[in-house]
Amino acid sequence: MIDSVTKDKSRTVLTNGHNEKAWKVVASEAAKNCKNYIRDIVDNLVLEPNPDKQVIALSLGDPTVYGNLSPSKESVEAVLEAIESGKCNGYVPTVGTEEARQAVADYLSFDGVQYDYKDVILCSGCSSSIDLCITVLADANKNHNILTPNPGFPIYRTLAESYGIEVRSYNLIPEEGWIIDLAHLESQIDENTAALVINNPSNPCGSVFSENHLRDILEVAYKYKVPIIADEIYERLVFESTRFVSIAALNSHVPLLICGGTGKRFLVPGWRLGWIVFHDPVGAFDAEIRRGLGCLSQKTIGCNGIVQKALPKILLSTSQSFYDDVTTILYNNAKLAYKIIQDIEGLTVYMPDGTMYMMVKIQLERFPQFSTGLEFMQRLMEEESVFCLPGECFGAPGFMRIIITIPSELIKEACDRMREFCKRYYTK
């Protein structure tokens, strides 16, 4: 029983007649280890835009922000029909409904790959898919590590480190189209490597691996018996003559967990529908891993039931013209940005083969006023109200990532402002 309450300026202490103790609740190790590397960098920048210029954000990986890219009419109609049916207001199986899982299996069955609904687990967005894959394969108590690309999207590191799992990065080679440095990849593998994360097509690089390069990657994974988590959220979102090849299409003897979802190609990241697909020609996942992922899916009690109901129509009825229109817009925006930036002294731009991004290298030796890319980006925001994500967010200091999803007139304006900014500070 509480006898009295003592108050002072800094705290309130409850006494029970025997002792006096202030409350202190300690955060878990998982919470302490969970770090958003983009927010950690960006939030520590002093970003005060030029009040005389409209802010142009070339930073957000959300294609819906400016309203120029919208989901297909088939997707919208499918969701409306699902709501009106009144049949998807309750809980669904934690791994997803059979109908929705079969739709994913059919959608991804191409280039000789055939999936069944039993190979599919539905998740709350692709980030959730990756989370479950890392969790089922890697264990901090066994000193496991996972391998991730550099540059690479930081969510892999955020998720793994929150569980106490070591993250090791393997290098991509910008001068060779951001292919993997296979020798460096091999040097990072040891007996505790639990998984190799492959992101193709790539965020932030906008690169798309060739079939031959994918085969080389699979050879390394097979040699060391390391399973692959394949982040293919940007599957088929490629430009012109570039062809997307799923790593599952190469008939390897490497067990694969393929992660994807509707967020990017279908322009609906807020609908939170992702998937994990098993491709396991050697049967390495048949027992424990399949059962483990089924158990882990129970943490979220299943993903969005409305979108699951709509999924067959979204995936299997969306017209090819929708996909073509989206990739045409992105490709034209990429060409526009590339054309302007390649003529800006002090910058080196890399033309993407797909996705929604392109990487730009800042030749810092030509801008002696700035010791880091972060300083360059901060001043660009202050003077020109243009904000790009600094390469430090992706493990690539001295680079910046720009998006190509915004209206073309804003891309041109942003790139023109970058040109004027670089002119002011460029030193030969």
Side-chain angles (χ1 to χ4, degrees), residues 9 38 84 103 137 160 166 174 304 329 353 406:
K9 293 182 179 179
I38 292 178
E84 291 172 352
L137 293 177
E166 179 188 357
N304 192 314
I329 290 170
D353 293 315
I406 70 175

Side-chain angles (χ1 to χ4, degrees), residues 6 12 36 81 105-106 126 138 315 405:
T6 303
T12 298
N36 184 316
E81 289 173 8
D106 293 341
C126 189
L315 296 181
T405 55

Side-chain angles (χ1 to χ4, degrees), residues 207-258:
S207 54
V208 182
F209 292 154
S210 69
E211 181 176 329
N212 287 337
H213 189 53
L214 288 170
R215 291 189 185 281
D216 291 339
I217 298 165
L218 286 165
E219 282 188 16
V220 174
Y222 181 76
K223 177 181 177 181
Y224 294 96
K225 299 299 184 288
V226 178
I228 288 177
I229 301 171
D231 180 358
E232 296 185 353
I233 185 63
Y234 296 96
E235 50 90 20
R236 286 179 272 187
L237 197 59
V238 298
F239 305 151
E240 216 176 36
S241 59
T242 303
R243 178 170 172 261
F244 166 73
V245 179
S246 173
I247 198 168
L250 302 183
N251 299 315
S252 73
H253 295 286
V254 176
L256 310 170
L257 296 176
I258 312 292

Side-chain angles (χ1 to χ4, degrees), residues 256-294:
L256 310 170
L257 296 176
I258 312 292
C259 297
T262 58
K264 303 300 183 178
R265 194 182 188 211
F266 294 86
L267 306 177
V268 288
W271 291 8
R272 308 312 299 145
L273 197 293
W275 53 71
I276 301 168
V277 182
F278 293 91
H279 185 79
D280 183 21
V282 295
F285 293 153
D286 278 353
E288 288 194 10
I289 299 303
R290 285 179 180 264
R291 183 169 59 251
L293 279 173

Side-chain angles (χ1 to χ4, degrees), residues 287-300:
E288 288 194 10
I289 299 303
R290 285 179 180 264
R291 183 169 59 251
L293 279 173
C295 292
L296 287 170
S297 72
Q298 297 173 25
K299 291 167 63 177
T300 56

Side-chain angles (χ1 to χ4, degrees), residues 40-105:
D40 187 60
I41 290 170
V42 171
D43 288 349
N44 287 311
L45 292 175
V46 179
L47 297 174
E48 297 182 359
N50 185 333
D52 297 325
K53 295 186 177 184
Q54 172 194 358
V55 172
I56 303 177
L58 296 178
S59 55
L60 296 174
D62 182 345
T64 70
V65 170
Y66 281 86
N68 57 311
L69 294 174
S70 301
S72 69
K73 61 180 179 60
E74 293 91 346
S75 296
V76 175
E77 290 170 357
V79 169
L80 292 175
E81 289 173 8
I83 294 171
E84 291 172 352
S85 74
K87 297 179 179 180
C88 46
N89 297 325
Y91 289 118
V92 293
T94 61
V95 295
T97 66
E98 182 175 331
E99 181 184 26
R101 293 162 69 197
Q102 187 61 53
V104 173

Side-chain angles (χ1 to χ4, degrees), residues 48-55 380-386:
E48 297 182 359
N50 185 333
D52 297 325
K53 295 186 177 184
Q54 172 194 358
V55 172
L380 177 64
M381 181 65 162
E382 291 173 356
E383 296 185 13
E384 298 294 342
S385 295
V386 173

